[in-house]
Amino acid sequence: MSDAAATLAYGMARCRSGRPGHPPPRRPRTRPRSHHAVRSPAPAQPCDRPRRPGRPSRRSPARPWDVHRLPPAEGKCFLVTGGNAGIGYFVAEQLATTGATVVLGSRDHTKAAAATACIRSRVPAARVRHIRMDLADLSSLEAAVDTLALGRLDAVVHNAGVALDAPPRRVTRDGHELMFGTNHLGHVALTRWLAPLLTAAPAARVVTVGSFAAESERLDPADLQSAGDGHRPKRTYGRSKLAQMYFALTLDRLLRAAGSPVRSLVAHPGGALDSLTPARPPVHVRTTGERLRGLPAGLLVQGKDAGAWPVVRAVLDPEATGGRLRGPGVFGLRGEPRAEPVWDHLKDTAAAARLWDASCELVGVGPGLGFA
């Protein structure tokens, strides 16, 4: 079964199940979805009459979150791992519209340069650059963080990932199973080296990109790296994303206990297909045939540009806090981003603690990860 067909089948099953806490599908928006430019604030209007001294002003209600009108973030700096393609590219493109400096972390210099040029072609005066970063090589990450040459970091988006479709089992340079080692352990190690830069910011965020591929998976504490008969690529990928989500929620608890101003949040893109994703040549090229074949799935899922919305909101929304998931609003598959309850198996703090200790040992870092 193709990824598109599998995603469509999954979406139909979720719609039939009517998961608690998820609203029914809404009518499609008539508003165009192609603009992410930051609008200039409206000029101040003169008051109709002077306010009396000491009289409290009336505060206007908070404006609803608008994916097409992101809040400005001039002076801030964000790092997006795997920002050269897929969800990560669109996260970087959208964050670049806020005026922030966006750094793409990628192991492929050519692809990162192409993504950087593509963002600059779409976002005038974008502050975007890239650094070489290989999450499959743990020993290289400290030096990669040094190349950031920053005094502080306002957010890191743990997005980069490897997904294998077929055997055989492969390993990283450090000998870890490739998907678990890159998607999970690489981000654990990266967080350790970024801790001083994140702590130096007034309210930094660690945003981990999860996946609904993890919803039906469970970790085997005796075989975290699928070394035995349990190595089936799609299941191993889902477990690596589940480990990432456990990591984000455990980090949130650690940061709160330490009294740190840093927040840890987890977001997922819902159902995001290449065939529904707008073209961004040469980063993403979509043929007419691919677009037409993807239209039926568009009733339930979305493109990767919209899949980036929950991640971007987790980075920018001042009201966003840890301890919850952020995903698309319609059955967790498509639509505008909102908070949703944590899946039941992610509430297993004992399993999360075992994974945390094992991960820190495998990476060779202390359990406080530089924050405590």
Side-chain angles (χ1 to χ4, degrees), residues 49-124:
R49 59 185 178 184
R51 194 168 65 242
R52 296 176 187 174
R55 183 177 180 179
S57 60
R58 293 182 179 179
R59 297 182 61 184
S60 58
R63 176 185 297 165
W65 186 263
D66 188 343
V67 296
H68 305 289
R69 189 174 181 177
L70 301 177
E74 290 89 349
K76 293 187 175 183
C77 186
F78 306 133
L79 168 65
V80 182
T81 69
N84 59 281
I87 298 289
Y89 169 82
F90 286 98
V91 169
E93 180 185 285
Q94 292 168 29
L95 289 176
T97 68
T98 67
T101 296
V102 181
V103 183
L104 313 184
S106 172
R107 66 171 181 260
D108 190 314
H109 171 81
T110 301
K111 291 181 179 179
T116 300
C118 190
I119 292 173
R120 287 176 176 161
S121 72
R122 300 189 63 84
V123 183

Side-chain angles (χ1 to χ4, degrees), residues 305-321:
D305 56 327
W309 292 346
V311 183
V312 171
R313 183 167 187 177
V315 172
L316 296 175
D317 186 353
E319 302 300 321
T321 58

Side-chain angles (χ1 to χ4, degrees), residues 238-307:
R239 289 180 174 182
S240 75
K241 299 302 289 185
L242 177 59
Q244 279 191 273
M245 298 172 82
Y246 268 127
F247 165 77
L249 294 168
T250 307
L251 180 60
D252 171 63
R253 291 189 287 270
L254 180 147
L255 293 170
R256 290 173 184 270
S260 172
V262 181
R263 299 179 187 177
S264 173
L265 302 98
V266 58
H268 70 89
L273 300 182
D274 281 335
S275 59
L276 298 173
T277 301
R280 292 291 189 272
V283 176
H284 171 65
V285 179
R286 182 182 65 166
T287 67
T288 301
E290 289 170 336
R291 181 179 64 82
L292 293 175
R293 286 193 295 272
L295 289 178
L299 297 173
L300 298 174
V301 294
Q302 58 194 356
K304 293 186 177 180
D305 56 327

